[in-house]
Every structure is written in C-alpha cells, then in structure tokens.
Amino acid sequence: MEPAEKIRLPRQRACNQLNEKGKHCCGHLKRWYANPRETQAEVYRCERCHTVYLPNPAEEPRTGTLAW
Ligand SMILES: [Zn+2]
C-alpha cells in the first residue's frame, strides 16, 4: 500500500491516520530527512504507518510573519 501524505497540524506529534480498523494510528511522528523534494521543509513521517506529514503553511515557526 502506498504511504499516505498529509498536511501536519500545528504542533501535531502523533499520527491521526486511520488504520484498517478505523482507529487512529497514534504512531510517533519523526523528522524525516529522506524527503526528495524539499530538504529545507520540516517533513515528518509516522514511524508506524509511514504516513508522510508535510509542513503546515499556517505554521511559521521562525519568521513570525504570515504571508496569506
Ligand atoms: Zn501512523
């Protein structure tokens, strides 16, 4: 099965992907450095189901300025 790809919720630490039983995976999200597209982006991946979490555009941890 192809791993899913989601936008990470602000300060999300646990995977909320539904598993085959319809329950949240709750796996721990770990920083994933093997992202082939944007190495600068903070990409996380669930260590259990390998769902990839892309950075949330609404969450700007460093600059503090939001560009809508
Ligand atoms: Zn998961």
Side-chain angles (χ1 to χ4, degrees):
M1 194 174 95
E2 193 77 5
E5 202 172 74
K6 306 178 76 159
I7 301 294
R8 186 168 162 266
L9 299 171
R11 282 174 277 284
Q12 182 179 2
R13 300 293 297 274
C15 177
N16 62 1
Q17 180 76 358
L18 296 180
N19 61 22
E20 62 274 9
K21 293 170 187 166
K23 295 192 171 178
H24 285 160
C25 164
C26 293
H28 188 227
L29 302 187
K30 299 186 77 174
R31 186 74 185 272
W32 188 39
Y33 293 98
N35 177 32
R37 281 171 294 178
E38 284 188 76
T39 51
Q40 299 300 312
E42 281 193 43
V43 175
Y44 288 77
R45 193 172 69 154
C46 173
E47 62 181 2
R48 188 176 289 178
C49 71
H50 295 173
T51 295
V52 173
Y53 283 82
L54 301 174
N56 192 319
E59 190 179 29
E60 292 284 338
R62 284 181 183 82
T63 63
T65 47
L66 295 175
W68 299 103

